[in-house]
Amino acid sequence: MRVERGEVEQNPTDLVGGGGPEGDEHLWVKGRLFKVAQSLGAEAVVEHSLTRADVFLPEHNLVLEYQRWSTDFRGRTAQRWSTGAARTIWMFPWQPPNAPRTGTLKLFNNEVFEHGGIYVAVRNKDDLSELQRPWEDPSQERTARLYASGSIAVFDPDRGALIRRQLSLATVLAEIMSDERVLAHAVVLTKANGHRARKRLWVLREDLAQAETAREKRRHAMSKSPITEQQSEPPVERKVQPAGDSAAEQHHPPSPVDVQASAASAELAPSPPAAEMSNDDRAAPEEAARETFAVTSNANLAARPPKNHQPTPRGSWWTSITDWFRRL
C-alpha cells in the first residue's frame, strides 16, 4: 500500500502489535465506522483499550478493524477473542482489478475470500463509479459512503446460485448485528470463469436457504436426466474398434448417425484413441460401395459350380431304360 498523508513510511513488522501507522485515510474510515454504528443504534467505542480495536461494539462483541498494512491477522484475532470480542471483521481498502499483485494484496485477498474479510470502497452515493477521498477533499464528506464487497454474497434467482455483490456497508453491518447475515461456507458462482467454488461468505440466512434449495433441484434434475433422455431417444453407442480387427473393418466408414454422435459428444469427453480416424484413413462412400459390390460378386461366383461338372438332370436314367425296352 502506498504511504498516505499523515503516515510514516516504516516496516510494519517492527511495530508493536503489528499493522502500520494510521494516516488520514485510516482515521477518516475509523470515524465513519463509528458514525455508521451509532446510526444503527449500536453502542460503539473508538480505540477500545482492552481489544485494541478501531471500533468495538460491546453489545454484539464485535470488532470492526480497518487495515491497510500486513499484520498477524490470526494472532490479533485470537488476542481480541481472549479479551471478550467474539468476532473481528477485518476490512481493507478496495483494490481495482488491475492492482499490482503484491504480497500485501495476496494476504488481503486470502483474508477476504477465505476468512470473511471485507473490501471497503469510499464511493459517491450519487455515482457509484466515482471513488472519493474525503480525507483530502472535505467537500466530498456529504456524498461519500462506504460500500462492502469481496465476501458479500446474495442469491441470484435467475442463475439459481449465490453471487458476489457490492452492498452498502451500513446495510451489511445492520444485517450482521441482527444475525440475519451470517458468515458461512457456501458455494458461490465466480465471475471469472462461471465455475462454482465453496468459499466463506457473508450471506443472508434466507439467501443461503434458497441457494441450497436450488442446488438440490439441480442435483435431482441431473439424476433424472439420463432416464429422460433414454426414454425420449435411446443414446447412440460409440463402438471402439478392437486392435485385432482387419484393415478393411478399420477403414469402414461409420454411418451418418455415428458421425453426428461423435461430433456432439466430443465437447463432453475425448474420443477413445481406437475410435479416432483421420480423413485419409476413412474410405469414401462410393469406394466403399464398390468394395462391397466386389466382395459380394466374388462370393456369388465362388458359390457357383464349374461348367464342366454339370450335375446329371433328374430323371435321365428312367429315359434310358424306357428307350432300351423300346428297342427290344
Side-chain angles (χ1 to χ4, degrees):
M1 305 297 296
R2 71 174 184 171
V3 178
E4 296 288 347
R5 188 176 65 184
E7 293 181 342
V8 179
E9 185 173 4
Q10 55 186 299
N11 186 353
T13 60
D14 295 336
L15 299 176
V16 178
E22 293 185 353
D24 293 345
E25 176 186 344
H26 193 136
L27 294 173
W28 185 91
V29 172
K30 181 165 55 176
R32 180 56 65 94
L33 289 174
F34 173 75
K35 291 181 180 179
V36 169
Q38 283 189 323
S39 69
L40 297 175
E43 179 186 355
V45 180
V46 178
E47 289 296 339
H48 187 249
S49 59
L50 191 60
T51 60
R52 303 174 72 174
D54 282 344
V55 179
F56 180 56
L57 310 181
E59 298 173 356
H60 305 280
N61 287 335
L62 179 63
V63 168
L64 307 179
E65 186 73 13
Y66 188 70
Q67 190 66 29
R68 297 187 63 251
W69 303 85
S70 174
T71 188
D72 180 11
F73 297 106
R74 302 280 72 75
R76 294 180 65 181
T77 299
Q79 179 267 328
R80 292 188 173 113
W81 181 85
S82 66
T83 56
R87 294 175 296 177
T88 296
I89 300 180
W90 290 96
M91 301 180 182
F92 309 99
W94 177 83
Q95 299 296 303
N98 59 349
R101 299 286 296 180
T102 62
T104 300
L105 180 58
K106 292 179 182 178
L107 288 175
F108 287 177
N109 282 340
N110 181 66
E111 285 300 312
V112 169
F113 299 118
E114 302 296 339
H115 300 287
I118 296 176
Y119 275 123
V120 176
V122 183
R123 298 183 181 275
N124 186 338
K125 68 180 180 62
D126 300 323
D127 182 6
L128 295 184
S129 64
E130 178 188 338
L131 293 171
Q132 294 193 326
R133 301 173 67 86
W135 52 91
E136 294 180 355
D137 183 358
S139 65
Q140 297 178 348
E141 186 74 28
R142 182 181 57 84
T143 56
R145 296 293 185 274
L146 300 181
Y147 290 88
S149 62
S151 60
I152 312 302
V154 299
F155 179 72
D156 185 345
D158 295 332
R159 303 180 188 180
L162 294 174
I163 61 171
R164 301 182 192 275
R165 178 163 297 173
Q166 176 179 261
L167 297 176
S168 164
L169 180 62
T171 299
V172 170
L173 289 179
E175 294 167 345
I176 291 176
M177 288 189 291
S178 64
D179 203 35
E180 297 175 62
R181 185 175 293 272
V182 296
L183 184 61
H185 281 96
V187 177
V188 62
L189 189 65
T190 61
K191 293 182 179 179
N193 50 23
H195 293 170
R196 289 176 168 83
R198 183 171 291 277
K199 297 292 182 180
R200 211 169 182 193
L201 306 163
W202 286 105
V203 58
L204 291 174
R205 294 181 184 273
E206 180 182 356
D207 285 358
L208 197 60
Q210 291 183 357
E212 188 59 31
T213 300
R215 285 189 67 202
E216 290 298 326
K217 289 182 179 180
R218 286 194 297 270
R219 289 176 181 175
H220 183 72
M222 291 177 64
S223 64
K224 293 294 183 181
S225 59
I227 300 177
T228 304
E229 292 175 2
Q230 194 172 20
Q231 290 175 348
S232 60
E233 181 178 358
V236 178
E237 295 183 3
R238 300 184 62 195
K239 297 181 179 180
V240 179
Q241 195 72 27
D245 288 344
S246 65
E249 291 172 336
Q250 291 178 1
H251 290 178
H252 185 73
S255 64
V257 176
D258 291 335
V259 173
Q260 294 174 3
S262 300
S265 60
E267 298 178 0
L268 303 178
S271 303
E276 295 179 352
M277 293 185 293
S278 64
N279 293 333
D280 295 335
D281 293 334
R282 295 179 179 177
E286 294 83 2
E287 295 174 357
R290 288 197 294 269
E291 289 176 4
T292 304
F293 176 79
V295 171
T296 305
S297 302
N298 293 336
N300 293 336
L301 291 175
R304 297 176 184 174
K307 293 182 179 181
N308 55 355
H309 291 88
Q310 291 291 339
T312 305
R314 186 177 179 181
S316 58
W317 62 275
W318 176 254
T319 303
S320 301
I321 295 175
T322 304
D323 292 341
W324 182 75
F325 275 107
R326 289 177 179 172
R327 287 194 297 270
L328 292 177

